[in-house]
Amino acid sequence: MNVRRTLPQRGLPTIGAWCFLDSFGPDRTAMSVLPHPHIGLQTVTWPLAGHIRHRDSVGSNVVVRPGELNIMTAGHGVSHSEFALLPPAGQTLPVQRGLQLWVALPDTERHRPPAFEQHRELPQVSGSGFTATVMVGELAGVTSPATMYSPIVGADVSCGGDAILPLNADFEHGILVLDGGLAVDGRELPPGPLGYLGTGRTELKVQALPETRFLLIGGEPFDEELLMWWNFVGRTHDEVEQARSDWEAQDGLPETETAAARYGLVPGHGPGARSEAGRIPAPPLPGVRLTPRKRL
Ligand code: MN
C-alpha cells in the first residue's frame, strides 16, 4: 500500500495534539492490518475511498465509509485490526484511499480505559468560498460530536477560488491538500506535503484551484514532550518498554486470558487456525534509551 507520512516531521512532533498523519492510496491495494496495540493516543480514521472493517478489543466490529469517522481512544491499552472490505469474488477491489491520524492524549487522560466511537453523520459548515465537514473539535462555530481531550480541530474542507476560513488564533494549524491545489500567503501548496501555518491566525485565506479539497488540522500547541515508538505514545522509555512487553506477553495466550490482558482480544482474531488468526509482533527496541521528539 502506498503510504505517505507527513507527521511527525523532524522538528515538528505535533500540531496541537495531532501527532501522526498518514495518507494511503489512491490504489487498489487492500488494507490488511492484523491486531496490534496502542497506548496514550486516539486514532482518527477518515476514509476517502473504499470501506474499512474495524474491529477492536472494546468489542467494536464496524465498517467505516467515506464521510464517516472512527475514533478509537487507546488510553491505557487497546488493540485493533483494520481490513479493506473486499468485493464479491471475481470483482475488482475499488480504489482505496484515506487518512489515518493520531491525537496524543494529555497526561491527565492518557491512562483512561479504552473506548471507541463511530460518527456516521458529521456537521457541515460553509462560509466565504468554502464548505467543510467538521471531523473533530470546532470550526466556524460548528462543533463535531466526537469526544476529544484537548482543544483541537480537524476538518475536511472543499473550496475553489478565494476562500476565507475563520481560525482560532490560539491554535497552531496545518493543511494537507488532498485534491487540487492552493496558495497561502503567496506560497503554493500542492497535494502531498503538509503545510504548517503556526499560531496567531484569526483566519486562513487561500486562493484555490477549482474543486480543491484539503484537510485542516490544528489545536492548542501541545506542551508535553511525547515519546513515540511504534504504536505507542508515552512519556518515558520505561513505560514504552513495559507497553511493548505487555503486548508480547499476550502472544499465544488462550482466548480467555487474552481477553483479560492489557490489550484485550480483538473479536474474530482469536488464536487458532482461522484465516485471520494472528497479530503483529512488536519490533525489537533499539539498543539505546528512547528520548522524546523535540520541537525546533
Ligand atoms: Mn492502529
Side-chain angles (χ1 to χ4, degrees):
M1 193 165 237
N2 166 30
V3 178
R4 204 160 28 198
R5 181 153 307 156
T6 48
L7 194 69
Q9 294 180 6
R10 188 171 178 77
L12 185 65
T14 48
I15 295 179
W18 298 100
C19 62
F20 178 97
L21 169 52
D22 266 6
S23 318
F24 61 88
D27 59 33
R28 293 184 190 273
T29 310
M31 179 184 285
S32 168
V33 183
L34 283 167
H36 59 278
H38 288 289
I39 65 164
L41 57 84
Q42 293 179 289
T43 62
V44 175
T45 305
W46 185 245
L48 302 172
H51 300 175
I52 302 165
R53 179 172 297 281
H54 163 99
R55 286 177 281 191
D56 65 38
S57 56
V58 184
S60 318
N61 181 356
V62 297
V63 173
V64 63
R65 302 165 184 82
E68 302 174 351
L69 183 74
N70 275 6
I71 302 228
M72 184 179 72
T73 302
H76 177 65
V78 76
S79 56
H80 73 138
S81 69
E82 289 163 300
F83 284 81
L85 213 63
L86 298 177
Q91 289 183 29
T92 310
L93 181 76
V95 167
Q96 309 283 304
R97 187 185 183 200
L99 303 173
Q100 291 270 16
L101 303 103
W102 296 353
V103 177
L105 289 168
D107 194 47
T108 49
E109 304 286 354
R110 67 193 185 97
H111 303 292
R112 58 186 306 112
F116 176 80
E117 286 176 13
Q118 182 173 69
H119 297 280
R120 301 189 70 177
E121 285 193 28
L122 288 165
Q124 311 283 316
V125 61
S126 54
S128 178
F130 75 92
T131 62
T133 303
V134 186
M135 299 156 59
V136 304
E138 180 262 328
L139 178 69
V142 173
T143 302
S144 161
T147 305
M148 306 301 285
Y149 296 95
S150 57
I152 197 165
V153 64
D156 186 331
V157 183
S158 294
C159 61
D162 293 331
I164 304 175
L165 281 77
L167 297 181
N168 182 333
D170 295 334
F171 285 10
E172 57 182 341
H173 293 90
I175 53 181
L176 179 72
V177 174
L178 302 172
D179 299 313
L182 52 77
V184 186
D185 305 335
R187 186 169 51 115
E188 288 193 14
L189 192 63
L194 182 68
Y196 179 66
L197 299 172
T199 56
R201 287 174 189 261
T202 55
E203 60 184 26
L204 170 63
K205 279 189 191 178
V206 302
Q207 291 80 46
L209 296 173
E211 297 183 40
T212 288
R213 182 176 182 186
F214 68 91
L215 173 76
L216 171 73
I217 57 173
E220 256 178 29
F222 198 78
D223 57 12
E224 300 170 34
E225 284 192 343
L226 301 176
L227 203 158
M228 287 178 58
W229 181 80
W230 193 42
N231 293 309
F232 304 134
V233 175
R235 300 296 184 275
T236 68
H237 176 96
D238 291 346
E239 70 175 301
V240 167
E241 187 170 46
Q242 185 66 51
R244 180 190 182 281
S245 63
D246 288 345
W247 175 245
E248 292 307 285
Q250 289 191 207
D251 189 16
L253 286 183
E255 228 166 77
T256 48
E257 286 178 42
T258 304
R262 177 172 182 179
Y263 299 106
L265 176 73
V266 183
H269 294 287
R274 265 168 284 190
S275 62
E276 288 178 356
R279 62 198 281 285
I280 300 179
L285 279 166
V288 294
R289 285 185 76 77
L290 301 167
T291 53
R293 291 168 188 269
K294 300 281 187 187
R295 180 174 288 249
L296 294 182

